[in-house]
Amino acid sequence: MNQRFPMKRWTFIDTINLCLFIYVILFVIDFKNHSGLSFIIIAAFLIWVITVISKNIIITKNQKEQNK
């Protein structure tokens, strides 16, 4: 499988997202006063986590196919 831009397991954007996630968990999430916003933020970060995990699964699958 020839890819012009190979996928990476962890990118600079993922590092920024992780830093934002830690900041949000520590200082922004407030279920008492802003529950709707807190759920939206949690949902956005869950989507990010799912994409990182699925990207790693796809990379592993492609590497196994190339090694055969």
Side-chain angles (χ1 to χ4, degrees):
M1 174 180 236
N2 292 340
Q3 291 182 346
R4 192 170 220 180
F5 301 105
M7 293 175 65
K8 296 180 181 177
R9 291 191 181 272
W10 191 264
T11 62
F12 183 69
I13 300 286
D14 294 327
T15 304
I16 292 172
N17 281 338
L18 180 62
C19 293
L20 286 172
F21 178 65
I22 292 168
Y23 177 81
V24 165
I25 292 295
L26 293 175
F27 301 111
V28 177
I29 300 276
D30 182 15
F31 285 104
K32 286 186 180 179
N33 297 325
H34 304 288
S35 63
L37 180 63
S38 297
F39 282 118
I40 290 171
I41 290 171
I42 294 294
F45 281 114
L46 283 175
I47 291 170
W48 168 69
V49 168
I50 291 169
T51 58
V52 168
I53 291 171
S54 62
K55 181 172 57 172
N56 285 323
I57 291 171
I58 290 170
I59 290 170
T60 302
K61 184 178 176 183
N62 288 339
Q63 285 177 347
K64 284 182 181 180
E65 287 177 4
Q66 289 177 354
N67 289 337
K68 285 185 178 182

Coordinates of all heavy atoms in Angstrom, one line a residue:
M1 N 0.8 -1.2 0.0 CA 0.0 0.0 0.0 C 0.9 1.2 0.0 O 1.6 1.5 1.0 CB -0.9 0.0 1.2 CG -1.7 1.2 1.4 SD -2.7 1.1 2.9 CE -4.3 1.3 2.2
N2 N 0.9 2.0 -1.1 CA 1.7 3.2 -1.2 C 0.9 4.4 -0.7 O -0.2 4.7 -1.3 CB 2.2 3.4 -2.6 CG 3.2 2.3 -3.0 OD1 3.8 1.7 -2.2 ND2 3.4 2.1 -4.3
Q3 N 1.4 5.0 0.3 CA 0.7 6.2 0.7 C 1.6 7.4 0.5 O 2.8 7.3 0.8 CB 0.3 6.1 2.2 CG -0.7 5.1 2.5 CD -1.1 5.1 4.0 OE1 -0.3 5.6 4.8 NE2 -2.2 4.5 4.3
R4 N 1.0 8.5 0.1 CA 1.8 9.7 -0.1 C 2.2 10.3 1.2 O 3.4 10.7 1.4 CB 1.0 10.7 -0.9 CG 1.8 11.8 -1.4 CD 1.0 12.6 -2.4 NE 1.9 13.0 -3.5 CZ 1.5 13.7 -4.5 NH1 0.3 14.0 -4.6 NH2 2.4 14.0 -5.4
F5 N 1.3 10.3 2.2 CA 1.6 10.8 3.5 C 1.3 9.7 4.5 O 0.1 9.4 4.8 CB 0.8 12.0 3.8 CG 1.0 13.2 2.9 CD1 0.0 13.5 1.9 CD2 2.1 13.9 2.9 CE1 0.2 14.5 1.0 CE2 2.3 15.0 2.1 CZ 1.4 15.3 1.1
P6 N 2.3 9.0 5.0 CA 2.1 7.9 5.9 C 1.4 8.4 7.2 O 1.7 9.5 7.7 CB 3.5 7.3 6.1 CG 4.4 8.3 5.7 CD 3.7 9.2 4.7
M7 N 0.6 7.5 7.7 CA -0.1 7.9 9.0 C 0.9 7.7 10.1 O 1.7 6.7 10.2 CB -1.3 7.0 9.2 CG -2.4 7.2 8.2 SD -3.8 6.1 8.4 CE -4.4 6.5 9.9
K8 N 0.8 8.6 11.1 CA 1.6 8.4 12.3 C 0.8 8.1 13.5 O -0.4 8.4 13.5 CB 2.3 9.8 12.6 CG 3.3 10.2 11.5 CD 3.9 11.5 11.9 CE 4.9 11.9 10.8 NZ 5.5 13.2 11.1
R9 N 1.3 7.4 14.4 CA 0.6 6.9 15.6 C 0.2 8.1 16.5 O -0.9 8.2 17.1 CB 1.4 5.9 16.4 CG 1.5 4.6 15.6 CD 2.0 3.5 16.6 NE 2.2 2.3 15.8 CZ 1.2 1.4 15.7 NH1 0.1 1.6 16.2 NH2 1.5 0.3 15.0
W10 N 1.1 9.0 16.7 CA 0.9 10.2 17.6 C 1.4 11.4 16.9 O 2.6 11.4 16.5 CB 1.6 9.9 18.9 CG 1.2 10.9 19.9 CD1 1.8 12.1 20.3 CD2 0.0 10.9 20.7 NE1 1.1 12.7 21.3 CE2 0.0 12.0 21.6 CE3 -1.1 10.0 20.9 CZ2 -1.0 12.3 22.5 CZ3 -2.1 10.3 21.8 CH2 -2.0 11.4 22.6
T11 N 0.6 12.4 16.7 CA 1.0 13.6 16.0 C 1.1 14.8 16.9 O 0.7 14.7 18.1 CB 0.0 13.9 14.8 OG1 -1.3 14.2 15.4 CG2 0.0 12.8 13.9
F12 N 1.5 15.9 16.4 CA 1.6 17.2 17.2 C 0.2 17.6 17.6 O 0.0 18.1 18.7 CB 2.3 18.2 16.4 CG 2.5 19.5 17.1 CD1 3.3 19.6 18.2 CD2 1.7 20.7 16.7 CE1 3.5 20.8 18.8 CE2 1.9 21.8 17.4 CZ 2.8 21.9 18.5
I13 N -0.8 17.4 16.7 CA -2.2 17.8 17.0 C -2.7 16.9 18.2 O -3.4 17.4 19.0 CB -3.1 17.5 15.7 CG1 -2.6 18.4 14.6 CG2 -4.5 17.8 16.0 CD1 -2.9 19.9 14.7
D14 N -2.3 15.7 18.2 CA -2.7 14.8 19.3 C -2.1 15.3 20.6 O -2.8 15.3 21.7 CB -2.3 13.4 19.1 CG -3.1 12.8 17.9 OD1 -4.2 13.1 17.7 OD2 -2.5 11.9 17.2
T15 N -0.9 15.8 20.6 CA -0.3 16.3 21.8 C -1.0 17.6 22.3 O -1.3 17.8 23.5 CB 1.2 16.7 21.5 OG1 1.9 15.5 21.0 CG2 1.9 17.2 22.8
I16 N -1.4 18.5 21.3 CA -2.2 19.7 21.7 C -3.5 19.3 22.3 O -4.0 19.8 23.3 CB -2.3 20.6 20.5 CG1 -1.0 21.2 20.1 CG2 -3.3 21.7 20.8 CD1 -1.0 21.9 18.8
N17 N -4.2 18.3 21.7 CA -5.5 17.8 22.2 C -5.3 17.2 23.6 O -6.2 17.5 24.4 CB -6.1 16.8 21.2 CG -6.7 17.4 20.0 OD1 -7.1 18.6 20.1 ND2 -6.9 16.6 19.0
L18 N -4.3 16.5 23.8 CA -4.1 15.9 25.2 C -3.9 17.1 26.2 O -4.4 17.0 27.3 CB -2.9 15.0 25.2 CG -2.6 14.3 26.5 CD1 -3.8 13.5 27.0 CD2 -1.3 13.5 26.5
C19 N -3.1 18.1 25.9 CA -2.9 19.2 26.8 C -4.2 19.9 27.0 O -4.5 20.3 28.2 CB -1.9 20.2 26.2 SG -0.2 19.5 26.1
L20 N -5.0 20.2 26.0 CA -6.3 20.8 26.2 C -7.2 19.9 27.0 O -8.0 20.5 27.9 CB -6.9 21.1 24.8 CG -6.3 22.2 24.0 CD1 -6.9 22.2 22.6 CD2 -6.5 23.5 24.7
F21 N -7.2 18.6 26.8 CA -8.0 17.7 27.6 C -7.7 17.8 29.1 O -8.6 17.9 29.9 CB -7.8 16.3 27.1 CG -8.6 15.3 27.8 CD1 -10.0 15.3 27.8 CD2 -8.0 14.3 28.6 CE1 -10.7 14.4 28.5 CE2 -8.7 13.4 29.3 CZ -10.1 13.4 29.3
I22 N -6.4 17.8 29.4 CA -6.0 17.9 30.8 C -6.4 19.3 31.4 O -6.9 19.3 32.5 CB -4.4 17.7 30.9 CG1 -4.1 16.3 30.6 CG2 -3.9 18.1 32.3 CD1 -2.6 16.0 30.4
Y23 N -6.2 20.3 30.6 CA -6.6 21.7 31.1 C -8.1 21.7 31.4 O -8.6 22.2 32.4 CB -6.2 22.7 30.1 CG -6.7 24.1 30.4 CD1 -5.9 24.9 31.4 CD2 -7.8 24.7 29.9 CE1 -6.3 26.1 31.7 CE2 -8.2 25.9 30.2 CZ -7.5 26.7 31.2 OH -7.9 27.9 31.5
V24 N -8.9 21.2 30.4 CA -10.3 21.2 30.6 C -10.8 20.4 31.8 O -11.6 20.8 32.5 CB -11.0 20.6 29.3 CG1 -12.5 20.3 29.5 CG2 -10.9 21.7 28.2
I25 N -10.2 19.2 32.0 CA -10.6 18.4 33.1 C -10.3 19.1 34.4 O -11.0 19.1 35.4 CB -9.8 17.0 33.1 CG1 -10.3 16.2 31.9 CG2 -10.0 16.3 34.4 CD1 -11.7 15.7 32.0
L26 N -9.1 19.8 34.5 CA -8.7 20.5 35.7 C -9.5 21.8 36.0 O -9.8 22.1 37.1 CB -7.2 20.8 35.7 CG -6.3 19.5 35.7 CD1 -4.9 20.0 35.6 CD2 -6.5 18.8 37.0
F27 N -9.8 22.6 35.0 CA -10.3 23.9 35.2 C -11.7 24.3 34.6 O -12.3 25.2 35.0 CB -9.3 24.9 34.7 CG -7.9 24.8 35.3 CD1 -6.8 24.3 34.6 CD2 -7.8 25.1 36.7 CE1 -5.6 24.2 35.2 CE2 -6.5 25.0 37.3 CZ -5.5 24.5 36.6
V28 N -12.1 23.5 33.6 CA -13.3 24.0 32.9 C -14.6 23.2 33.2 O -15.7 23.8 33.3 CB -13.1 24.0 31.3 CG1 -14.3 24.4 30.6 CG2 -11.9 24.9 31.0
I29 N -14.5 21.9 33.3 CA -15.6 21.0 33.5 C -16.3 21.4 34.8 O -15.7 21.5 35.9 CB -15.2 19.6 33.6 CG1 -14.6 19.1 32.3 CG2 -16.4 18.7 33.9 CD1 -15.5 18.7 31.2
D30 N -17.6 21.8 34.7 CA -18.4 22.2 35.8 C -19.8 21.7 35.6 O -20.6 22.3 34.9 CB -18.4 23.7 36.0 CG -19.2 24.1 37.2 OD1 -19.5 23.3 38.1 OD2 -19.5 25.3 37.3
F31 N -20.2 20.5 36.1 CA -21.5 19.9 35.9 C -22.6 20.6 36.6 O -23.8 20.5 36.3 CB -21.5 18.4 36.2 CG -20.8 17.6 35.1 CD1 -19.5 17.1 35.3 CD2 -21.4 17.3 33.9 CE1 -18.8 16.4 34.4 CE2 -20.7 16.6 32.9 CZ -19.5 16.1 33.2
K32 N -22.3 21.3 37.7 CA -23.3 22.0 38.5 C -23.8 23.2 37.7 O -25.0 23.5 37.6 CB -22.8 22.4 39.8 CG -22.6 21.3 40.8 CD -22.2 21.8 42.2 CE -22.1 20.7 43.1 NZ -21.7 21.1 44.5
N33 N -22.9 24.1 37.2 CA -23.4 25.3 36.6 C -23.5 25.3 35.1 O -24.4 25.9 34.5 CB -22.4 26.4 36.9 CG -22.3 26.7 38.4 OD1 -23.3 26.6 39.1 ND2 -21.1 27.0 38.9
H34 N -22.7 24.5 34.4 CA -22.7 24.4 33.0 C -22.7 22.9 32.5 O -21.7 22.5 31.9 CB -21.5 25.1 32.4 CG -21.4 26.5 32.8 ND1 -22.2 27.5 32.3 CD2 -20.5 27.1 33.7 CE1 -21.9 28.7 32.9 NE2 -20.9 28.5 33.7
S35 N -23.7 22.2 32.8 CA -23.7 20.8 32.5 C -23.8 20.5 31.0 O -23.1 19.6 30.6 CB -24.9 20.1 33.2 OG -26.1 20.6 32.8
G36 N -24.5 21.3 30.3 CA -24.6 21.0 28.8 C -23.3 21.2 28.2 O -22.9 20.4 27.3
L37 N -22.6 22.3 28.5 CA -21.2 22.5 27.9 C -20.3 21.4 28.3 O -19.4 21.0 27.5 CB -20.7 23.9 28.3 CG -19.4 24.3 27.8 CD1 -19.4 24.4 26.3 CD2 -18.9 25.6 28.4
S38 N -20.4 21.0 29.6 CA -19.5 20.0 30.1 C -19.7 18.7 29.3 O -18.7 18.0 28.9 CB -19.7 19.7 31.6 OG -19.4 20.9 32.3
F39 N -20.9 18.3 29.0 CA -21.2 17.1 28.3 C -20.7 17.2 26.8 O -20.2 16.2 26.2 CB -22.7 16.7 28.3 CG -23.1 16.1 29.6 CD1 -24.1 16.7 30.4 CD2 -22.6 14.9 30.0 CE1 -24.5 16.1 31.6 CE2 -23.0 14.3 31.2 CZ -23.9 14.9 32.0
I40 N -20.8 18.4 26.2 CA -20.4 18.6 24.9 C -18.9 18.5 24.8 O -18.3 17.8 23.9 CB -20.8 20.0 24.3 CG1 -22.4 19.9 24.1 CG2 -20.1 20.3 23.0 CD1 -23.0 21.3 23.8
I41 N -18.2 19.0 25.8 CA -16.7 19.0 25.8 C -16.3 17.5 26.0 O -15.3 17.0 25.3 CB -16.1 19.9 26.9 CG1 -16.3 21.3 26.5 CG2 -14.7 19.6 27.2 CD1 -16.0 22.3 27.7
I42 N -16.9 16.8 26.9 CA -16.6 15.4 27.1 C -16.8 14.6 25.8 O -16.0 13.7 25.4 CB -17.4 14.8 28.3 CG1 -17.0 15.5 29.6 CG2 -17.2 13.3 28.4 CD1 -15.5 15.2 30.0
A43 N -17.9 14.8 25.1 CA -18.2 14.1 23.9 C -17.1 14.4 22.8 O -16.7 13.5 22.1 CB -19.6 14.5 23.4
A44 N -16.7 15.7 22.7 CA -15.7 16.0 21.7 C -14.4 15.3 22.0 O -13.7 14.8 21.1 CB -15.5 17.5 21.7
F45 N -14.0 15.2 23.3 CA -12.7 14.5 23.6 C -12.9 13.0 23.4 O -11.9 12.3 23.1 CB -12.3 14.9 25.0 CG -11.6 16.2 25.0 CD1 -12.1 17.3 25.7 CD2 -10.4 16.4 24.3 CE1 -11.4 18.5 25.7 CE2 -9.7 17.6 24.3 CZ -10.2 18.7 25.0
L46 N -14.1 12.5 23.7 CA -14.3 11.0 23.4 C -14.2 10.7 22.0 O -13.6 9.7 21.6 CB -15.7 10.6 24.0 CG -15.8 10.4 25.5 CD1 -17.2 10.1 25.9 CD2 -14.8 9.3 25.9
I47 N -14.7 11.6 21.1 CA -14.5 11.4 19.7 C -13.0 11.4 19.3 O -12.6 10.6 18.5 CB -15.3 12.5 18.9 CG1 -16.8 12.2 19.0 CG2 -14.9 12.5 17.4 CD1 -17.7 13.3 18.5
W48 N -12.3 12.3 19.9 CA -10.8 12.4 19.6 C -10.1 11.1 20.1 O -9.3 10.5 19.3 CB -10.2 13.6 20.3 CG -8.7 13.6 20.3 CD1 -7.9 13.7 19.3 CD2 -7.9 13.3 21.5 NE1 -6.6 13.6 19.7 CE2 -6.5 13.3 21.0 CE3 -8.1 13.1 22.8 CZ2 -5.5 13.2 21.9 CZ3 -7.1 12.9 23.7 CH2 -5.8 13.0 23.2
V49 N -10.5 10.6 21.2 CA -9.9 9.4 21.7 C -10.2 8.2 20.8 O -9.3 7.4 20.5 CB -10.3 9.1 23.2 CG1 -10.0 7.7 23.6 CG2 -9.7 10.1 24.1
I50 N -11.4 8.1 20.4 CA -11.8 7.0 19.5 C -11.1 7.1 18.2 O -10.6 6.1 17.6 CB -13.4 7.1 19.2 CG1 -14.1 6.7 20.5 CG2 -13.8 6.2 18.1 CD1 -15.6 6.9 20.5
T51 N -10.9 8.3 17.6 CA -10.1 8.4 16.4 C -8.7 8.1 16.6 O -8.1 7.4 15.7 CB -10.2 9.8 15.8 OG1 -9.7 10.8 16.7 CG2 -11.6 10.2 15.4
V52 N -8.1 8.4 17.7 CA -6.7 8.0 17.9 C -6.5 6.5 18.1 O -5.6 5.9 17.5 CB -6.1 8.7 19.2 CG1 -4.8 8.1 19.6 CG2 -6.0 10.2 19.0
I53 N -7.4 5.9 18.8 CA -7.4 4.4 18.9 C -7.6 3.7 17.6 O -6.9 2.8 17.2 CB -8.4 4.0 20.0 CG1 -8.0 4.4 21.3 CG2 -8.6 2.4 19.9 CD1 -9.0 4.2 22.4
S54 N -8.6 4.2 16.8 CA -8.9 3.6 15.5 C -7.7 3.8 14.5 O -7.4 2.9 13.7 CB -10.2 4.1 14.9 OG -10.1 5.5 14.7
K55 N -7.1 5.0 14.6 CA -5.9 5.2 13.7 C -4.8 4.2 14.0 O -4.2 3.7 13.1 CB -5.5 6.7 13.9 CG -4.3 7.1 13.1 CD -4.0 8.6 13.2 CE -3.7 9.0 14.6 NZ -3.2 10.4 14.7
N56 N -4.6 4.0 15.3 CA -3.6 3.0 15.7 C -3.9 1.6 15.3 O -3.0 0.8 14.9 CB -3.3 3.1 17.2 CG -2.5 4.3 17.6 OD1 -1.6 4.7 16.9 ND2 -2.9 4.9 18.7
I57 N -5.2 1.3 15.3 CA -5.6 -0.1 14.9 C -5.4 -0.2 13.4 O -4.9 -1.2 12.9 CB -7.1 -0.3 15.2 CG1 -7.2 -0.5 16.7 CG2 -7.6 -1.5 14.5 CD1 -8.7 -0.5 17.2
I58 N -5.7 0.8 12.6 CA -5.5 0.8 11.2 C -4.0 0.7 10.8 O -3.6 -0.1 9.9 CB -6.1 2.0 10.5 CG1 -7.7 1.9 10.6 CG2 -5.7 2.2 9.1 CD1 -8.4 3.2 10.2
I59 N -3.2 1.4 11.5 CA -1.7 1.4 11.3 C -1.2 0.0 11.6 O -0.4 -0.6 10.8 CB -1.0 2.5 12.1 CG1 -1.3 3.9 11.5 CG2 0.5 2.2 12.1 CD1 -0.9 5.0 12.4
T60 N -1.6 -0.6 12.7 CA -1.1 -1.9 13.0 C -1.6 -3.0 12.0 O -0.8 -3.8 11.6 CB -1.7 -2.3 14.4 OG1 -1.2 -1.3 15.4 CG2 -1.2 -3.7 14.9
K61 N -2.8 -2.8 11.6 CA -3.3 -3.8 10.5 C -2.6 -3.6 9.2 O -2.2 -4.6 8.6 CB -4.8 -3.4 10.3 CG -5.5 -4.4 9.4 CD -7.0 -4.0 9.3 CE -7.7 -4.9 8.3 NZ -9.1 -4.5 8.1
N62 N -2.3 -2.4 8.8 CA -1.5 -2.2 7.6 C -0.1 -2.7 7.7 O 0.5 -3.3 6.8 CB -1.5 -0.7 7.2 CG -2.8 -0.2 6.7 OD1 -3.6 -1.0 6.2 ND2 -3.0 1.1 6.7
Q63 N 0.5 -2.6 8.9 CA 1.9 -3.1 9.1 C 1.9 -4.6 9.1 O 2.9 -5.2 8.6 CB 2.5 -2.6 10.4 CG 2.9 -1.1 10.4 CD 3.3 -0.6 11.8 OE1 3.2 -1.3 12.8 NE2 4.0 0.6 11.8
K64 N 0.9 -5.2 9.6 CA 0.9 -6.7 9.6 C 0.7 -7.2 8.2 O 1.3 -8.2 7.8 CB -0.3 -7.2 10.5 CG 0.0 -7.1 11.9 CD -1.1 -7.7 12.8 CE -0.8 -7.6 14.2 NZ -2.0 -8.1 15.0
E65 N -0.1 -6.5 7.4 CA -0.3 -6.9 6.0 C 1.0 -6.7 5.2 O 1.3 -7.5 4.3 CB -1.4 -6.1 5.3 CG -2.8 -6.4 5.8 CD -3.9 -5.6 5.2 OE1 -3.6 -4.7 4.4 OE2 -5.0 -5.8 5.6
Q66 N 1.8 -5.7 5.5 CA 3.0 -5.4 4.7 C 4.1 -6.4 5.1 O 4.9 -6.8 4.3 CB 3.5 -4.0 5.0 CG 2.7 -2.9 4.3 CD 3.2 -1.5 4.7 OE1 4.1 -1.4 5.5 NE2 2.6 -0.5 4.1
N67 N 4.0 -7.0 6.3 CA 5.0 -7.9 6.8 C 4.8 -9.3 6.2 O 5.6 -10.2 6.3 CB 5.1 -8.0 8.3 CG 5.7 -6.7 8.9 OD1 6.4 -6.0 8.2 ND2 5.4 -6.4 10.1
K68 N 3.6 -9.6 5.7 CA 3.3 -10.9 5.2 C 3.9 -11.2 3.9 O 4.3 -10.5 3.1 CB 1.8 -11.1 5.0 CG 1.1 -11.3 6.3 CD -0.4 -11.5 6.1 CE -1.0 -11.8 7.4 NZ -2.4 -12.1 7.3

